[in-house]
Amino acid sequence: MKKIGFLSFGHWTPSSQSQTRSASDALLQSIDLAVAAEQLGADGAYFRVHHFARQLASPFPLLAAVGAKTSRIEIGTAVIDMRYENPLYMAEDAGAADIIAGGRLQLGISRGSPEQVIDGWRYFGYAPQEGQSDADMARHHAEVFLDTLRGEGFAQPNPRPMFPNPPGLLRLEPHSEGLRERIWWGAATNATSEWAAKLGMNLQSSTLKFDESGKPFHIQQAEQIRIYREAWKAAGHEREPRVSVSRSIFALVDDRDRAYFGRGNESRDQIGFIEENTRAIFGRSYAAEPDVLIAELAKDEAIAEADTLLLTVPNQLGVDYNAHVIEAILTHVAPALGWR
């Protein structure tokens, strides 16, 4: 069995060819798709966070709204860029959203990817300390966030408060018990997956990672997962970690599917540079008739290693079509692979 959810970037553009033409469309359709996915039997609704872009940005109002509209499905991010975050304020937002959702948040956080603007986090009031990089800053923000989620008091109370305080040092409120164990780190390298394991975070590995060996993407990703699990075991954590991978997978079951995805243009891994000196490998997309798709996916070593699969969805094609994409995988592909 494998948990299967969707991952939406929430793209929107004021084009007549898009079903998602405004920020309002992107947000409201995201809620509708989460509701539809839950009704179809999917396990998760996840959203990407990008700043300065016509995509989903501040995630917590959306997560809270999805939490209020659903009852079972996991609700998450993949990922929140920690370079932009105030970890204490984020802990308050996350605690509130998790309580509204009944403890269903699964928050993916990370150093983030190249953005639409140069050093966009500076506009949010953040800058690395001298001698540190923006990645160092993101990891520091993450560590503060994780520590805050433990729910331990750290702030000295005012001796003459406006309202009565509980005894001892004060913590941030609201505190949501168990959220600390539902934080994931989006790792693009083997080293950061090891770091995440030591800190007790779950692992998210997307359709991109740094090319560290020249091997096919799914093999590099599977190796990364094994390295992560070894580091988790060495750290002595008591619980079992969770691992997700993301894939673009389309079962061609009707004429719409064939028109959109039947050309097979991205059926191989791609190599590129996400930064000036950073060679990255981008995982292939899967689009085929269900029987062919089942045979191809059975060879994907990273999917086999993961307990959670996130299906990246083309949100600008509308809620109904994306619900169809999810249902096609759940119905025509997942059972044959033992995922259902």
Side-chain angles (χ1 to χ4, degrees), residues 3-14:
K3 288 184 179 293
I4 301 174
F6 73 82
L7 171 60
S8 174
F9 280 48
H11 292 284
W12 62 272
T13 182

Side-chain angles (χ1 to χ4, degrees), residues 106 178-184 196-197 199-203 228 232-233 236-243:
Q106 303 284 344
L179 180 57
R180 170 63 179 80
E181 294 187 351
R182 288 179 275 116
I183 307 302
W184 308 57
L199 268 64
M201 286 187 281
N202 303 306
L203 177 66
Y228 165 80
W232 181 278
K233 184 178 180 180
H237 302 302
E238 294 182 0
R239 68 178 179 90
E240 286 296 314
R242 287 186 59 185
V243 175

Side-chain angles (χ1 to χ4, degrees), residues 56-304:
L56 299 172
S58 179
F60 293 106
L62 173 60
L63 299 178
V66 172
K69 287 277 192 176
T70 59
S71 61
R72 179 191 57 80
I73 199 168
E74 293 182 342
I75 307 161
T77 53
V79 291
I80 298 172
D81 189 334
M82 293 303 292
R83 296 175 296 180
Y84 287 78
E85 295 297 322
N86 176 325
L88 300 187
Y89 196 90
M90 182 180 174
E92 292 181 338
D93 278 348
D98 194 45
I99 289 170
I100 290 170
R104 289 182 285 132
L105 255 58
Q106 303 284 344
L107 291 181
I109 64 176
S110 189
R111 173 261 189 194
S113 59
E115 294 290 310
Q116 299 298 106
V117 298
I118 298 171
D119 295 346
W121 28 270
R122 294 188 184 276
Y123 295 97
F124 280 55
Y126 303 114
Q129 296 181 2
E130 186 174 353
Q132 293 191 332
S133 67
D134 61 317
D136 294 327
M137 179 177 67
R139 286 189 284 271
H140 173 67
H141 286 180
E143 289 170 349
V144 174
F145 176 61
L146 293 171
D147 190 53
T148 304
L149 289 181
R150 297 181 189 279
E152 299 174 356
F154 62 90
Q156 190 69 37
N158 187 339
R160 293 180 294 278
M162 181 178 294
F163 308 105
N165 280 324
L169 299 177
L170 301 182
R171 70 184 185 185
L172 289 177
E173 300 290 355
H175 172 67
S176 186
E177 193 68 36
L179 180 57
R180 170 63 179 80
E181 294 187 351
R182 288 179 275 116
I183 307 302
W184 308 57
W185 184 260
T189 67
N190 295 343
T192 52
S193 74
E194 289 184 273
W195 173 81
K198 291 175 183 177
L199 268 64
M201 286 187 281
N202 303 306
L203 177 66
Q204 285 182 339
S205 194
S206 73
T207 54
L208 172 156
K209 74 178 297 293
F210 291 5
D211 186 6
E212 299 183 86
S213 68
K215 297 177 183 177
F217 173 79
H218 74 102
I219 294 177
Q220 291 198 49
Q221 193 174 52
E223 290 173 347
Q224 180 193 45
I225 294 169
R226 295 183 195 109
I227 289 169
Y228 165 80
R229 287 208 172 102
E230 289 172 3
W232 181 278
K233 184 178 180 180
H237 302 302
E238 294 182 0
R239 68 178 179 90
E240 286 296 314
R242 287 186 59 185
V243 175
S244 74
V245 296
S246 303
R247 292 290 186 274
S248 296
I249 305 174
F250 302 97
L252 306 182
V253 298
D254 65 20
D255 290 341
R256 292 176 301 169
D257 302 325
R258 297 181 188 94
Y260 286 136
F261 303 108
R263 300 172 186 174
N265 294 335
E266 298 181 6
S267 58
R268 297 181 180 178
D269 296 341
Q270 303 292 320
I271 298 295
F273 288 82
I274 58 172
E275 294 174 347
E276 186 175 353
N277 297 311
T278 304
R279 177 184 164 101
I281 183 167
F282 301 79
R284 57 162 297 187
S285 296
Y286 292 90
E289 304 293 329
D291 56 338
V292 176
L293 203 55
I294 290 164
E296 291 180 340
L297 291 169
K299 301 174 185 176
D300 191 311
E301 293 186 14
I303 293 179

